[in-house]
């Protein structure tokens, strides 16, 4: 029986990766790259697409490599211990805007973004795989997974809520603010990742294949539960990705900037914080909800229906700051569904890993969990890329100021762009939620 301290330690791993680095990359990077760093919409879209092609190769390779790691620290923990510093450092550099020309900035952004994806993979794939070797008890796996999600959402809540106030405290230009906050949050991510590696234990020994082989990769595509769950994972991250990537544009263009209510500054990060808090609370009750529903599959279906209904509802809210609390309410209600299904996804990956071990005779835990990380990055970043692409299609374009800096042309933000932003936050995620429901109905493991 694992101690509470170990569950907290495991939660710190996703507090660092999911609650800090990935949360900022999901919600702030699209707006940062176009409105602060100075990339064009086309450059930002291409950057994220190129990174995803990179991940298609690196994530499965990392999973296979992690499965075969043998060290005094275990199989998966050494990747957290030695990857913590590079993770925080590269994240900090990525939010720094160098004094380069357009070509130099493009090289800087592409190089560091790809490095960030590689280091994130090297840390997060082994982190997810830890769940498969810390315990063989299914209820305890659900508890670890629930702690993980609560850690991620609690830290995401703190990160997003504090962001505008920290920006105000730092002062100076937008570029200076993002650089300082990048260093600060990068340090927190390093500390959280190290703490996770030190506080967790590997109790089970993976059944390793004797030699490297392509067979585990081929076995994946014959593993029906894995195929369906990977598609579900991609869709859940598309669902979140569209909402987070477009939130900054929603406030910048549709609501004409930050909304101040009774002294509370509601900008795009604070707006999504309400959802983070809800996800944290309902992530904590997800194991009980699953027991009440009778299976993970049923619980997942109900959670996806909640996401579908309230995403559609958001589309019909008038596009005005006067309705900010109605918007907050719909974000909260949508996040009930996200909070319920998020812990289930990782617990279901553990079930798929157990199924694969039983069927094939050797462990492919790291490889299977790498698909979860790949789905996370693929769904989130492709949706961010599509947001930039769709805004360009709707008419948003760039111009150059008197100093030669690239910036969004205010005249290009027409009604069609505003409608596209509103739809990207509501109708696009609703379609994805419908796909999640359809796929979940075909998921065969009935635990």
């Amino acid at each position: 029986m694992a101690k509470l301290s170990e569950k907290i330690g495991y939660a710190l791993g996703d507090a660092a990766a999911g609650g800090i680095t990935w949360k900022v990359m999901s919600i702030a990077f699209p707006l940062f790259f176009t409105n602060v760093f100075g990339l064009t919409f086309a450059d930002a879209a291409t950057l994220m697409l190129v990174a995803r092609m990179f991940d298609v190769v690196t994530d499965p390779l990392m999973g296979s490599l992690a499965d075969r790691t043998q060290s005094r620290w275990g199989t998966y923990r050494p990747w957290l211990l030695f990857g913590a510093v590079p993770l925080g450092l590269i994240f900090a550099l990525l939010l720094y805007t160098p004094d380069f020309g357009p070509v130099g900035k493009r090289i800087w952004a592409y190089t560091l973004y790809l490095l960030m994806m590689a280091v994130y993979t090297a840390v997060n794939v082994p982190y997810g795989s830890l769940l498969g070797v810390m315990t063989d008890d299914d209820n305890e796996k659900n508890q670890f997974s629930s702690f993980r999600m609560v850690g991620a959402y609690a830290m995401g809540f703190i990160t997003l809520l504090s962001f505008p106030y920290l920006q105000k405290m730092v002062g100076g230009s937008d570029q200076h603010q993002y650089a300082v906050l990048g260093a600060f949050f990068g340090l927190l991510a390093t500390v959280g990742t190290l703490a996770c590696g030190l506080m967790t234990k590997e109790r089970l020994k993976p059944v390793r294949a004797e030699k490297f082989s392509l067979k585990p990769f081929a076995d994946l595509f014959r593993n029906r539960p894995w195929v369906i769950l990977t598609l579900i994972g991609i869709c859940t991250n598309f669902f979140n990705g569209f909402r987070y990537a477009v939130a900054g544009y929603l406030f910048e263009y549709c609501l004409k900037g930050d909304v101040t209510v009774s002294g509370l500054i509601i900008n795009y990060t604070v707006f999504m914080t309400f959802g983070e808090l809800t996800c944290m609370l309902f992530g904590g009750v997800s194991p009980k909800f699953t027991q009440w529903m009778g299976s993970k599959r049923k619980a997942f279906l109900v959670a996806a229906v909640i996401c579908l209904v309230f995403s559609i509802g958001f589309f019909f809210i008038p596009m005005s700051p006067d309705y900010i609390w109605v918007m907050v309410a719909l974000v909260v209600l949508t996040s009930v569904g996200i909070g319920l299904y998020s812990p289930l996804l990782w617990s279901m990956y553990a079930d798929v890993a157990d199924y694969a071990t039983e069927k094939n005779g050797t462990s492919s835990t790291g490889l299977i969990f790498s698909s979860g990380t790949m789905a996370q990055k693929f769904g989130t970043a492709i949706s961010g890329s599509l947001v930039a692409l769709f805004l360009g299609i709707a008419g948003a374009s760039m111009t150059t100021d008197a100093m030669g800096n690239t910036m969004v042309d205010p005249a290009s933000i027409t009604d069609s762009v505003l409608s596209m932003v509103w739809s990207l936050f509501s109708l696009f995620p609703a379609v994805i939620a419908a796909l999640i429901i359809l796929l979940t109905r075909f998921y065969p493991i009935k635990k």
Side-chain angles (χ1 to χ4, degrees), residues 49-340:
L49 283 171
V50 168
R52 294 298 63 75
M53 299 305 102
F54 182 67
D55 287 336
V56 167
V57 177
T58 59
D59 282 47
L61 287 177
M62 184 63 232
S64 185
L65 179 61
D67 283 335
R68 286 163 177 77
T69 300
Q70 299 184 56
S71 76
R72 57 184 290 191
W73 300 281
T75 299
Y76 303 114
R77 288 173 59 242
W79 294 96
L80 279 72
L81 296 171
F82 295 101
V85 172
L87 179 75
L89 179 62
I90 295 172
F91 175 78
L93 290 173
L94 198 47
L95 282 170
Y96 173 75
T97 304
D99 188 17
F100 297 157
V103 175
K105 281 187 174 182
R106 194 178 297 125
I107 293 171
W108 176 276
Y110 273 68
T111 302
L112 283 169
Y113 196 82
L114 290 173
L115 278 174
M116 183 66 199
M117 290 298 97
V119 174
Y120 187 90
T121 295
V123 170
N124 208 247
V125 169
Y127 167 73
S129 303
L130 264 177
L131 184 61
V133 295
M134 289 191 295
T135 179
D136 58 0
D137 181 85
D138 198 51
N139 287 330
E140 201 163 45
K141 284 179 184 177
N142 285 345
Q143 290 173 24
F144 269 112
S145 190
S146 182
F147 266 82
R148 171 185 183 164
M149 289 297 101
V150 170
Y153 285 125
M155 194 66 223
F157 171 77
I158 293 169
T159 301
L160 298 184
L161 181 63
S162 65
F163 208 88
Y165 297 96
L166 290 173
Q167 281 184 290
K168 192 174 181 181
M169 186 187 304
V170 170
S173 67
D174 288 343
Q175 293 179 348
H176 174 69
Q177 291 169 14
Y178 276 92
V180 172
L181 292 186
F184 173 69
F185 283 115
L187 177 61
L188 288 183
T190 294
V191 171
T193 304
L194 276 173
C196 177
L198 293 169
M199 294 171 69
T200 52
K201 294 180 182 179
E202 297 187 25
R203 294 177 177 82
L204 308 176
K205 293 284 186 182
V207 183
R208 294 186 177 90
E210 291 183 9
K211 296 179 180 178
F212 179 81
S213 166
L214 292 177
K215 184 177 180 296
F217 295 90
D219 286 340
L220 280 182
F221 292 94
R222 289 192 288 267
N223 184 332
R224 185 165 171 257
W226 174 82
V227 172
I228 294 173
L229 190 61
T230 297
L231 292 173
I232 291 171
I234 291 172
C235 286
T236 59
N237 287 287
F238 265 123
F239 182 85
N240 281 339
F242 276 116
R243 296 167 70 251
Y244 278 99
V246 82
Y249 297 111
L250 186 145
F251 270 78
E252 185 86 7
Y253 304 139
C254 298
L255 302 183
K256 312 303 180 187
D258 299 351
V259 179
T260 303
V261 183
S262 301
L264 174 65
I265 301 173
I266 304 180
N267 76 338
Y268 69 102
T269 63
V270 175
F271 182 63
M272 298 307 289
T273 296
F274 291 102
E276 292 295 304
L277 179 59
T278 307
C279 287
M280 179 183 70
L281 295 174
F282 282 86
V285 303
S286 181
K288 290 290 184 185
F289 176 73
T290 303
Q291 288 180 353
W292 180 58
M293 292 301 300
S295 73
K296 297 174 187 178
R297 182 171 168 272
K298 275 187 181 178
F300 213 103
L301 275 169
V302 172
V305 169
I306 292 171
C307 293
L308 170 65
V309 170
F310 292 111
S311 294
I312 293 173
F314 192 97
F315 179 76
F316 295 99
I317 302 173
M319 198 183 297
S320 166
D322 295 339
Y323 292 87
I324 187 66
W325 290 119
V326 181
M327 297 176 204
V328 167
L330 268 293
V331 164
V332 166
L333 291 168
T334 304
S335 298
V336 169
I338 300 170
L340 290 173

Side-chain angles (χ1 to χ4, degrees), residues 378-399:
F378 186 86
T380 304
I382 290 292
S383 55
S385 174
L386 289 175
V387 164
L389 182 65
F390 285 141
L391 291 181
I393 291 172
S397 61
M398 310 298 288
T399 187

Side-chain angles (χ1 to χ4, degrees), residues 370-382:
S370 75
S371 63
T373 304
M374 184 176 69
Q376 180 187 40
K377 293 193 292 186
F378 186 86
T380 304
I382 290 292

Side-chain angles (χ1 to χ4, degrees), residues 330-412:
L330 268 293
V331 164
V332 166
L333 291 168
T334 304
S335 298
V336 169
I338 300 170
L340 290 173
Y341 72 53
S342 293
L344 288 173
L345 186 66
W346 295 104
S347 181
M348 289 157 77
Y349 271 115
D351 294 339
V352 170
D354 291 343
Y355 171 88
T357 300
E358 184 179 335
K359 183 179 179 182
N360 302 319
T362 57
S363 173
S364 55
T365 302
L367 185 58
I368 285 170
F369 273 91
S370 75
S371 63
T373 304
M374 184 176 69
Q376 180 187 40
K377 293 193 292 186
F378 186 86
T380 304
I382 290 292
S383 55
S385 174
L386 289 175
V387 164
L389 182 65
F390 285 141
L391 291 181
I393 291 172
S397 61
M398 310 298 288
T399 187
T400 304
D401 64 15
M403 303 297 293
N405 298 312
T406 304
M407 57 180 287
V408 177
D409 183 2
S412 70

